[in-house]
Amino acid sequence: MAATSKDDGKAGPRRGGVTLREVARLAGVHPGTASRAINEETRGLVNDATAQRVLAAAEQIGYRPNPIARGLKTSRSHTVGVLIPDLTNPLFPPIVRGIQDRLERDGYTPLIANTDNDAERERGSIDALSARRVDGLLTATAQADSAAFAALAELEIPVVLINRQVLGGNMRSVAPDDRAGVRLAVEHLVGLGHTKIAHLGGPAATSTGALRSESFVETMRRLGLDADPALTVSGGAMTEAEGERLCRQLLAGGAEFTAIVAANDLVALGCYDVFDAEGIDCPGDVSVVGFNDMRFADRFEPPLTTIRIPHTEMGVRAAELLLEQIRDPDSPARHELLEPTLVIRDSTAPPRRDP
Amino acid sequence: MAATSKDDGKAGPRRGGVTLREVARLAGVHPGTASRAINEETRGLVNDATAQRVLAAAEQIGYRPNPIARGLKTSRSHTVGVLIPDLTNPLFPPIVRGIQDRLERDGYTPLIANTDNDAERERGSIDALSARRVDGLLTATAQADSAAFAALAELEIPVVLINRQVLGGNMRSVAPDDRAGVRLAVEHLVGLGHTKIAHLGGPAATSTGALRSESFVETMRRLGLDADPALTVSGGAMTEAEGERLCRQLLAGGAEFTAIVAANDLVALGCYDVFDAEGIDCPGDVSVVGFNDMRFADRFEPPLTTIRIPHTEMGVRAAELLLEQIRDPDSPARHELLEPTLVIRDSTAPPRRDP
DNA sequence: CCCACCGTTGCAACCGTTTGCGCGGCAAAG
DNA sequence: CTTTGCCGCGCAAACGGTTGCAACGGTGGG
């Protein structure tokens, strides 16, 4: 391969496009030959000298292969769809960033669509993406029972699930180890001396929500504590609004508690809101631990104790799994679990001795 | 590959491919006619009854036009490139979201690339995007002097600048009214009684940075105050780290001040960091106002007084300007300014009477 | 009655690349 | 000096739509 970092002064990428034909003519070969020379995988089919001549010609006139034309012939678009609920949710930008960076390295381009967790929009996005002939799909939205989920399967293109996993399916996935995460959270709280711990869970229809809740009661039990059903509620989404609603519901229930493990950081923020409104001191009156360690979690009041998961890496791994499957559709399905870690800040403290 | 004989009848398991030909055959017309019937703009050329027949046939077998093939012939990809510094910067997700939503309505798909404000990466992204034959470009990155900027112009495709404007150019742009924004900030501070106000500016090479700084000294002067040069510094980026650096520099300078107007919220957060480290009370010792009102600005400690700009709308308007230009390349260039508003929180207060 | 014209549709040439096929020619084998 | 094999390369047919052009039947005007 010729030096790629050559400092070219006059490569003018013209809009109208230099075509392969022109390269071929300049190199004095047939377009077919030029094509073979330019493609890495087929370069072996042409004489070394000719290949060099073609490459030089291409360089000289600034040839850029037209992916549209290529895609038409090969029915590979070198694009992949990315389905997320909402880019505006701070959880996703780092994930997407990881995806973009990894994909870019391999010449793939992500097409990002927001679904707002709306089944109809999701369905529509899947349609649009498949119309654009994406080579694969990364999705952070699939609910276990969603009809859109069926649509995914029937698409017959590589799919990898992010931040979710599906039970029996042979769909690849990468997600944080949710069980381990809340285990860390509960153990931290118990270590601090808490015994009456509440859980504000996410939607049971998502593996994330379900797993975290499961692990909560499991861990409580294992530690010999009572997971009071009145203290483990779950909501319809992991948002500040839902967190607020759930927290109020908890308070209204009347059951005592000194700590909360929230389904995620946003839910934890919802708790902060009711604390402020009700004059509850955190962590004095009640401790809170979040999940995700999203950006700025260290800057809230109080700085939030939470479970950190490697967002960017999650995106990167997801992209890698997808690329792998695109290249070898028969490779075995894999489910990756990313290790979470506890990061202790100021929203957790030992419970008051005597209320 | 196994020999695919010259079949034309028995269609195998179709990957994604109901073709226009099949629709035509089902409707009993020529593919060309089917094409005209399906395209809105050319439908008038075919008999109404035939058009209905074709449409019905298309519906029946679930035909989806192949944008790749279409793009090859029309040299329109119905995609637009979006250049941003870093998706992870909380300023951008809402903008991008606005872009996506608006573009989607018109059947366009955004291709998002991160440049990290690195000239080389930017150049590379522009190359990649133009290789993908985007129909236009939205960019939130162009620095006034950037070489990449020249590359943009020479691309000869519609471009609209976001959050930046370029002086003489005929390039469309949409940006917040930066001047008005810092005017609000300064007036607020002065109204509170501050007279020794510092400014932590962004890169002078960006219109955002330059304009905000300009407006700062201008407003100070207009209000009969002294814009002490020792108190108006500017950095190389609008980040927490730069904010921290600049703030320390200010402190080291020794000149007195009771308030800071920061180039943006991130820079303000940098100030918070040095306040924490140095035991400075905000707003007691010094007031701070940010710019952007990014997500969570109300949750920092203290909640940040800042200038709100309509992020999502900015994205929407940018997309609209671009679509307009794509459809009519000769339409007059326009520069839109979005009205900022002051949102007062707890990081600003009257200066202490007596230090 | 002929012709010009109109609305409608078929025909075929693209758009830029990839790729199966086959053909020369040269070297090794017989 | 033939035969065999292989290497390089040219040829042309796709891929799925779009679109200028021509054909065609019918109609109204001259």
Side-chain angles (χ1 to χ4, degrees):
Chain A
M1 180 113 184
T4 47
S5 56
K6 181 190 302 197
D7 215 332
D8 58 346
K10 54 179 309 178
R14 303 191 346 151
R15 170 65 181 161
V18 181
T19 91
L20 187 56
R21 241 170 209 66
E22 312 183 40
V23 175
R25 190 175 337 132
L26 181 56
V29 298
H30 187 272
T33 306
S35 169
R36 282 184 266 254
I38 282 178
N39 263 65
E40 295 276 0
E41 312 89 29
T42 50
R43 186 163 311 155
L45 296 179
V46 352
N47 182 295
D48 229 27
T50 336
Q52 289 311 320
R53 195 148 35 91
V54 172
L55 258 16
E59 170 83 9
Q60 184 186 334
I61 59 181
Y63 169 74
R64 316 283 300 172
N66 183 332
I68 309 267
R70 189 207 301 269
L72 179 56
K73 179 63 180 176
T74 60
S75 65
R76 286 206 144 193
S77 61
H78 279 83
T79 62
V80 326
V82 179
L83 248 33
I84 57 176
D86 178 15
L87 191 60
T88 271
N89 181 328
L91 174 59
F92 296 109
I95 296 181
V96 171
R97 188 65 214 269
I99 295 175
Q100 292 176 320
D101 289 349
R102 185 58 186 83
L103 248 29
E104 183 184 338
R105 274 188 38 202
D106 280 42
Y108 278 77
T109 300
L111 306 182
I112 301 164
N114 303 86
T115 66
D116 290 321
N117 276 323
D118 175 292
E120 181 137 3
R121 267 199 80 151
E122 184 164 352
R123 177 68 194 203
S125 295
I126 293 179
D127 264 20
L129 289 173
S130 81
R132 284 218 179 261
R133 307 307 206 260
V134 292
D135 293 339
L137 220 47
L138 292 167
T139 171
T141 68
Q143 311 222 342
D145 61 343
S146 165
F149 192 76
L152 276 190
E154 128 189 345
L155 226 51
E156 293 188 8
I157 60 173
V159 173
V160 0
L161 270 22
I162 302 180
N163 207 20
R164 303 253 186 297
Q165 26 183 339
V166 61
L167 336 85
N170 61 343
M171 244 176 226
R172 287 142 180 81
S173 70
V174 26
D177 189 336
D178 290 308
R179 312 190 95 95
V182 332
R183 199 181 310 138
L184 287 172
V186 173
E187 285 170 356
H188 167 60
L189 256 13
V190 171
L192 248 26
H194 293 272
T195 55
K196 298 182 181 317
I197 307 177
H199 175 59
L200 265 41
T206 64
S207 77
T208 299
L211 252 36
R212 289 179 195 173
S213 294
E214 259 178 61
S215 176
F216 175 77
V217 324
E218 195 176 293
T219 306
M220 287 291 280
R221 198 153 298 160
R222 188 168 54 73
L223 295 181
L225 293 173
D226 184 32
D228 186 347
L231 288 182
T232 84
V233 298
S234 79
M238 300 195 195
T239 62
E240 290 156 279
E242 271 298 277
E244 188 173 343
R245 192 180 68 78
L246 256 24
C247 189
R248 283 193 189 288
Q249 177 178 325
L250 216 58
L251 255 22
E256 260 183 66
F257 63 92
T258 61
I260 295 177
V261 354
N264 78 1
D265 292 346
L266 256 17
V267 172
L269 283 183
C271 294
Y272 278 16
D273 288 339
V274 349
F275 294 167
D276 283 352
E278 305 296 331
I280 295 173
D281 178 46
C282 171
D285 297 323
V286 12
S287 291
V288 175
V289 16
F291 202 110
N292 275 349
D293 192 27
M294 66 181 188
R295 188 156 186 196
F296 298 136
D298 57 331
R299 291 187 179 274
F300 300 132
E301 178 55 25
L304 183 65
T305 294
T306 188
I307 304 298
R308 168 179 301 165
I309 58 176
H311 297 99
T312 303
E313 188 188 338
M314 194 151 81
V316 171
R317 293 301 298 139
E320 279 171 356
L321 251 45
L322 188 66
L323 288 173
E324 190 179 307
Q325 193 186 355
I326 287 177
R327 295 196 174 114
D328 178 11
D330 301 320
S331 59
R334 291 163 50 191
H335 300 263
E336 284 201 21
L337 249 33
L338 267 30
E339 212 47 44
T341 56
L342 171 71
V343 8
I344 301 176
R345 290 197 270 248
D346 302 344
S347 67
T348 50
R352 271 199 221 298
R353 280 293 158 67
D354 204 343
Chain B
M1 191 108 250
T4 35
S5 54
K6 53 194 119 177
D7 69 321
D8 71 329
K10 316 301 178 205
R14 51 201 43 177
R15 160 144 157 89
V18 180
T19 91
L20 184 58
R21 250 168 201 68
E22 310 182 40
V23 175
R25 193 180 328 139
L26 181 56
V29 298
H30 188 272
T33 306
S35 168
R36 281 184 268 255
I38 283 177
N39 262 66
E40 295 275 0
E41 311 90 30
T42 50
R43 185 164 313 153
L45 296 178
V46 348
N47 182 296
D48 229 28
T50 342
Q52 290 311 322
R53 195 148 33 91
V54 172
L55 258 15
E59 171 82 9
Q60 184 188 331
I61 59 179
Y63 169 72
R64 316 286 299 173
N66 182 332
I68 310 266
R70 188 205 301 267
L72 180 56
K73 176 64 179 179
T74 62
S75 62
R76 285 206 147 193
S77 61
H78 281 83
T79 61
V80 324
V82 178
L83 248 35
I84 57 176
D86 178 15
L87 192 59
T88 270
N89 182 328
L91 174 59
F92 297 109
I95 297 180
V96 170
R97 189 64 215 268
I99 295 174
Q100 291 176 321
D101 289 350
R102 185 59 187 83
L103 248 30
E104 184 185 338
R105 274 189 38 202
D106 281 43
Y108 279 77
T109 301
L111 269 31
I112 300 163
N114 304 83
T115 65
D116 291 321
N117 276 323
D118 175 294
E120 180 137 5
R121 265 198 82 149
E122 185 165 353
R123 176 70 196 205
S125 296
I126 293 180
D127 264 20
L129 289 173
S130 82
R132 283 216 179 262
R133 301 320 202 251
V134 293
D135 293 339
L137 219 48
L138 292 166
T139 169
T141 67
Q143 313 222 340
D145 62 342
S146 166
F149 191 77
L152 276 189
E154 131 189 345
L155 226 50
E156 293 187 9
I157 60 172
V159 173
V160 1
L161 270 22
I162 301 179
N163 206 18
R164 302 254 186 297
Q165 26 183 339
V166 62
L167 335 87
N170 61 345
M171 243 175 225
R172 287 143 180 81
S173 69
V174 27
D177 188 338
D178 291 307
R179 311 190 94 96
V182 333
R183 198 181 311 137
L184 288 172
V186 174
E187 285 170 357
H188 167 60
L189 257 11
V190 171
L192 248 25
H194 293 272
T195 57
K196 298 184 181 317
I197 307 178
H199 175 59
L200 266 41
T206 64
S207 77
T208 298
L211 251 36
R212 290 179 192 172
S213 294
E214 257 178 64
S215 176
F216 175 77
V217 324
E218 196 175 292
T219 306
M220 286 291 279
R221 199 154 295 159
R222 186 168 55 73
L223 295 181
L225 293 173
D226 184 33
D228 185 346
L231 288 182
T232 84
V233 298
S234 79
M238 299 194 195
T239 61
E240 291 156 280
E242 271 299 275
E244 188 174 342
R245 193 179 67 78
L246 254 26
C247 188
R248 283 194 188 288
Q249 177 178 322
L250 217 57
L251 256 21
E256 259 181 66
F257 63 92
T258 61
I260 295 177
V261 356
N264 76 3
D265 293 347
L266 256 17
V267 172
L269 284 183
C271 294
Y272 278 18
D273 288 338
V274 349
F275 294 167
D276 283 352
E278 305 296 331
I280 297 173
D281 179 46
C282 173
D285 297 324
V286 13
S287 291
V288 175
V289 16
F291 203 111
N292 277 345
D293 192 26
M294 66 181 190
R295 187 157 189 194
F296 299 135
D298 56 332
R299 292 188 179 274
F300 299 134
E301 179 53 26
L304 183 65
T305 293
T306 187
I307 304 298
R308 170 180 301 165
I309 58 175
H311 297 99
T312 304
E313 188 188 338
M314 192 150 81
V316 171
R317 294 299 299 137
E320 278 172 355
L321 252 46
L322 188 66
L323 289 172
E324 191 179 306
Q325 194 185 355
I326 287 177
R327 295 196 174 114
D328 178 10
D330 300 322
S331 60
R334 291 163 51 192
H335 301 262
E336 283 199 25
L337 248 35
L338 268 29
E339 213 48 43
T341 57
L342 172 70
V343 8
I344 301 175
R345 288 195 272 249
D346 302 343
S347 66
T348 50
R352 271 199 221 298
R353 281 291 160 69
D354 203 343

